[in-house]
Amino acid sequence: MESGTSSPEPLPSDPLEAFPQKSLEPADIAVLVLYFLFVLAVGLWSTVKTKRDTVKGYFLAGGDMVWWPVGASLFASNVGSGHFIGLAGSGAAMGISASAYELNGIFSVLMLAWIFLPIYIAGQVTTMPEYLRKRFGGSRIPTTLAVLYLLMYIFTKISVDMYAGAIFIQQSLHLDLYLAIVGLLAITAVYTITGGLAAVIYTDAVQTMIMLMGALALMGYSFDAVGGMEGLKEKYFLALASNRTENSSCGLPREDAFHIFRDPVTSDLPWPGILLGMSVPSLWYWCTDQVIVQRSLAAKNLSHAKGGSLMAAYLKLLPLFMMVFPGMISRVLFPDQVACADPEICRKVCSNPSGCSDIAYPKLVLEILPTGLRGLMMAVMVAALMSSLTSIFNSSSTIFTMDLWNITRPRATEKELMIVGRVFVLLLVLFSILWIPVVQASQGGQLFIYIQSVSSYLQPPVAIVFIMGCFWKRTNEKGAFWGLVLGLLLGFIRLVLDFIYLEPRCDQPDERPTVVKNVHYLYFSIILSTVTLVIVSTVSWFTAPPSKEMVSGLTWFTRHDPVVRKEQLPPLPLTLPQNGTPESSSTSIQLEIVQENMSQTHSCAVTPKRSKVVKAILWLCGMESKGKEEPMSKVEPVITFLEENPFVKTLLDINLIICISCAIFVWGYFA
């Protein structure tokens, strides 16, 4: 199947057809099928191999993951199919500025392991809302946050990844969208529901390997087609659609396309916004988001968690080369489709009048790759979709089970929590299928603008509350609550304004209100962070300081303190020995209480006879009853987890300096 990349003059019907007569050959389909079998095999192997009949085993992979699956899983959870479509599309439309999000993430993922993780480990937390419950007390902050996290996962992450995956599946496989996505979700659900976090992390490691192989291969073919980096710099500015109106500025490549730092007033991504406004949502994502932190908490110890973060940070240097530059090359090779400027023509090319840059990556895959590699790239896209979806499913079920269900049923047995967690994943899968029509309806590339703006409007207040909780001992529940609520309210007002007053197309006058038109979303992120910071500080300062048990072991400065805990189970003496007892508040994860309940139910109840179907389902989920329960250690060995081998610690710190130096060099070179 010869690609028509060398011919600049396409057939008359071509500009109106994004993917003319391109579909997968039998060899491509064979590669795709082999990939599915391989992933399913790894998923089922890890499902059988891991201990998944306990809360810790299912939700934290037993806490014994080594560094490389953790690092690969961090990268795979972050880089979904939305990245391939969105970053390549941004590259085609605006140049390399969008890679600032990736390069910013390098510093944040390193801060997770070196700064935030020791605090979470010392506080013995499983979920992020649980950390806030221990740090501030009460249930209004953690419950607000648990609900907010679930809504953000469902309405931003799931929808964007499904949209991006849908573009690929429809254009290349010519399959019915429902059939394809139901099939995909069925495969992911099998190992996510049965195997828990361990299965998700091991399959993520496989997906990362496949993603890197395929994306680097496509990068090589792309640069070869355009004559290397010099060829790209020369040809990108000449990549104009032949059907463009001569006297219009629409569809012109940006003059600053090869710079990350851009004009602070008139550009699409102003440099002060990149340095300050982007950093707070980035900290939220990498240091306080359940999807990411859960992977690091699953590591064997702090050294393995640091190794995983380093691996993810090194891999984060690649998207600029693997996704953004290929998107720009796609514009050079297929200007009439990817760079279309006329709304009517764009509508015919990709059903989106505001532009067709989103097809940049799929166009490259289907046009310039040889048979076989095309199948591999399809596998890459499906891998990206599956790995990000499974991560969201698993983390959402953890938050729901531990932070919402466990509050309403504080005496729930371990078995009940296992069943609830799995049923919630099943409900999320069903919801994802029902969400497809919404995704199809909103296929006007606004989804990617939408996810970044949602991030900039809703994440800063959450990030500031975490940062203040971790680094200022005086921060109390009242300050954190009012900072969070008023910050979210302000962000929500701006979000609604953005949806009411949509950005006009290039050829239309901009009649939006000044606050929407002139305050860039990254500048708004800075304003929102500052307002939240002021509210949290002021209210905390003028109200009572938090009690000792809400600070010991829960901030950076007190992480080595002996844990002081006030038991919340009725009725106990008011004072406890100073060395304290382990946290077992009725609203925390309650591994110990759950274990006691479990053993009680086993000792005093005779197991009823079960049907073969029930037995099979319980075996599949690793929940078949055993003769005797393994006792769970009463206190997690926090100190041993935080201790590091001096040689390994030095090695990791040297690597940290090298990694940061590489990131600063890339920033400097392209800034």
Side-chain angles (χ1 to χ4, degrees):
M1 201 163 173
E2 289 297 315
S3 68
T5 57
S6 57
S7 159
E9 285 299 318
L11 295 172
S13 65
D14 270 359
L16 312 184
E17 175 93 60
F19 302 95
Q21 291 85 49
K22 289 280 176 186
S23 58
L24 297 184
E25 302 278 311
D28 296 322
I29 291 166
V31 170
L32 205 50
V33 169
L34 280 173
Y35 155 77
F36 273 123
L37 292 174
F38 183 47
V39 169
L40 203 52
V42 170
L44 293 174
W45 165 80
S46 52
T47 293
V48 174
K49 177 183 174 290
T50 52
K51 182 177 172 59
R52 59 214 160 90
D53 57 346
T54 63
V55 168
K56 188 175 179 186
Y58 185 74
F59 291 121
L60 282 184
D64 58 0
M65 284 285 162
V66 292
W67 65 273
W68 63 267
V70 171
S73 186
L74 284 172
F75 182 71
S77 304
N78 170 234
V79 177
S81 45
H83 262 69
F84 282 92
I85 301 285
L87 277 178
S90 298
M94 312 184 305
I96 66 171
S97 60
S99 63
Y101 286 100
E102 303 307 298
L103 298 174
N104 217 314
I106 294 172
F107 301 105
S108 301
V109 71
L110 294 172
M111 285 176 73
L112 166 66
W114 265 264
I115 297 175
F116 284 86
L117 208 59
I119 303 171
Y120 299 150
I121 293 163
Q124 303 175 51
V125 297
T126 311
T127 68
M128 294 297 92
E130 186 194 355
Y131 169 76
L132 294 180
R133 183 176 299 115
K134 288 183 172 185
R135 174 65 180 83
F136 296 122
S139 62
R140 57 184 184 171
I141 296 179
T143 307
T144 305
L145 209 67
V147 173
L148 180 73
Y149 273 20
L150 290 177
L151 291 176
M152 282 178 72
Y153 290 157
I154 290 166
F155 292 110
T156 63
K157 295 189 177 187
I158 291 180
S159 57
V160 168
D161 283 324
M162 301 260 286
Y163 161 72
I167 289 182
F168 246 86
I169 290 162
Q170 275 182 311
Q171 305 295 5
S172 52
L173 294 178
H174 301 294
L175 274 181
D176 175 62
L177 190 64
Y178 279 89
L179 184 72
I181 289 189
V182 168
L184 273 183
L185 290 173
I187 291 172
T188 50
V190 166
Y191 63 80
T192 311
I193 292 172
T194 56
L197 185 63
V200 172
I201 287 182
Y202 279 122
T203 48
D204 275 357
V206 174
Q207 316 268 39
T208 301
M209 193 173 67
I210 292 167
M211 263 195 266
L212 292 175
M213 279 164 44
L216 290 171
L218 180 65
M219 182 184 83
Y221 274 94
S222 304
F223 275 112
D224 182 55
V226 83
M229 183 61 93
E230 291 308 311
L232 174 61
K233 284 184 175 176
E234 186 185 316
K235 294 172 186 171
Y236 180 77
F237 297 104
L238 306 172
L240 303 170
S242 58
N243 46 39
R244 174 183 161 264
T245 315
E246 281 305 316
N247 58 358
S248 161
S249 63
C250 298
L252 285 174
R254 292 187 63 92
E255 288 175 16
D256 52 9
F258 284 89
H259 301 290
I260 295 177
F261 282 6
R262 299 182 174 181
D263 188 280
V265 180
T266 59
S267 67
D268 56 332
L269 284 178
W271 68 262
I274 286 176
L275 286 181
L276 301 171
M278 205 180 268
S279 302
V280 176
S282 180
L283 269 182
W284 174 85
Y285 180 81
W286 287 103
C287 302
T288 70
D289 184 13
Q290 182 65 25
V291 171
I292 298 297
V293 177
Q294 195 173 346
R295 272 134 198 77
S296 295
L297 287 173
K300 262 185 176 173
N301 54 39
L302 191 56
S303 296
H304 279 283
K306 285 181 175 179
S309 274
L310 270 171
M311 179 179 169
Y314 279 121
L315 291 175
K316 288 290 282 178
L317 289 165
L318 295 176
L320 171 61
F321 304 96
M322 291 193 321
M323 300 168 203
V324 179
F325 284 136
M328 297 171 79
I329 292 169
S330 186
R331 179 185 177 121
V332 172
L333 298 177
F334 317 107
D336 283 350
Q337 290 108 323
V338 176
C340 76
D342 185 286
E344 289 310 309
I345 291 172
C346 290
R347 196 188 298 277
K348 288 173 187 167
V349 173
C350 64
S351 316
N352 179 6
S354 54
C356 290
S357 56
D358 277 355
I359 66 168
Y361 206 82
K363 186 82 179 151
L364 272 185
V365 171
L366 294 172
E367 298 278 356
I368 74 169
L369 284 184
T371 304
L373 268 181
R374 215 176 295 133
L376 177 67
M377 270 319 291
M378 274 308 301
V380 167
M381 290 305 300
V382 173
L385 176 65
M386 285 168 71
S387 61
S388 45
L389 283 181
T390 52
S391 303
I392 297 161
F393 290 159
N394 184 266
S395 297
S396 302
S397 102
T398 309
I399 286 183
F400 179 79
T401 309
M402 293 303 165
D403 294 302
L404 297 176
W405 189 267
N406 217 12
I407 289 176
T408 53
R409 289 182 55 81
R411 292 270 177 189
T413 62
E414 184 138 18
K415 194 168 195 175
E416 181 183 325
L417 294 179
M418 296 288 82
I419 292 168
V420 168
R422 286 171 163 100
V423 169
F424 190 72
V425 174
L426 201 57
L427 292 175
L428 269 183
V429 170
L430 292 173
F431 179 84
S432 304
I433 293 167
L434 297 175
W435 193 240
I436 299 172
V438 182
V439 172
Q440 278 181 304
S442 57
Q443 285 222 350
Q446 294 305 314
L447 265 177
F448 293 101
I449 299 158
Y450 147 81
I451 193 170
Q452 291 309 341
S453 54
V454 167
S455 306
S456 302
Y457 302 150
L458 298 183
Q459 292 167 0
V462 182
I464 294 295
V465 165
F466 269 99
I467 291 166
M468 296 295 280
C470 288
F471 299 104
W472 191 40
K473 292 191 281 188
R474 188 68 176 70
T475 313
N476 61 19
E477 198 267 351
K478 287 187 176 70
F481 178 73
W482 288 110
L484 185 66
V485 168
L486 295 174
L488 286 174
L489 187 66
L490 203 60
F492 190 70
I493 291 169
R494 170 68 198 250
L495 190 62
V496 171
L497 285 175
D498 263 20
F499 276 117
I500 295 171
Y501 300 103
L502 294 174
E503 192 176 350
R505 290 204 308 262
C506 168
D507 55 345
Q508 295 173 335
D510 193 342
E511 294 170 351
R512 295 176 296 167
T514 309
V515 68
V516 178
K517 180 169 66 176
N518 295 339
V519 181
H520 193 279
Y521 65 81
L522 290 178
Y523 284 149
F524 188 79
S525 169
I526 300 173
I527 295 167
L528 195 53
S529 303
T530 310
V531 168
T532 308
L533 188 68
V534 168
I535 295 170
V536 172
S537 311
T538 309
V539 176
S540 293
W541 192 255
F542 288 104
T543 50
S547 58
K548 191 171 182 182
E549 69 265 12
M550 286 176 186
V551 177
S552 65
L554 291 165
T555 72
W556 174 258
F557 306 101
T558 59
R559 66 191 189 283
H560 296 301
D561 290 7
V563 180
V564 178
R565 287 289 173 263
K566 182 171 65 180
E567 288 285 352
Q568 291 179 351
L569 292 173
L572 284 173
L574 290 173
T575 53
L576 283 170
Q578 192 53 41
N579 60 359
T581 55
E583 166 73 1
S584 47
S585 81
S586 60
T587 52
S588 80
I589 180 172
Q590 297 189 346
L591 293 179
E592 304 87 15
I593 298 170
V594 159
Q595 195 62 36
E596 284 165 24
N597 287 1
M598 190 83 175
S599 52
Q600 283 166 16
T601 53
H602 269 270
S603 59
C604 60
V606 180
T607 312
K609 295 194 89 174
R610 294 196 183 99
S611 71
K612 285 191 171 67
V613 176
V614 174
K615 277 183 182 170
I617 292 170
L618 287 176
W619 175 82
L620 195 62
C621 293
M623 287 163 56
E624 69 274 30
S625 36
K626 301 175 179 64
K628 63 182 195 317
E629 284 296 315
E630 290 178 24
M632 198 177 286
S633 57
K634 288 290 280 181
V635 185
E636 293 290 315
V638 174
I639 305 306
T640 56
F641 196 104
L642 284 173
E643 275 175 4
E644 294 181 86
N645 177 311
F647 172 73
V648 174
K649 187 177 187 301
T650 308
L651 197 65
L652 287 167
D653 290 343
I654 291 169
N655 252 295
L656 172 72
I657 294 163
I658 294 169
C659 187
I660 289 175
S661 306
C662 290
I664 290 171
F665 171 76
V666 174
W667 267 107
Y669 186 80
F670 290 107

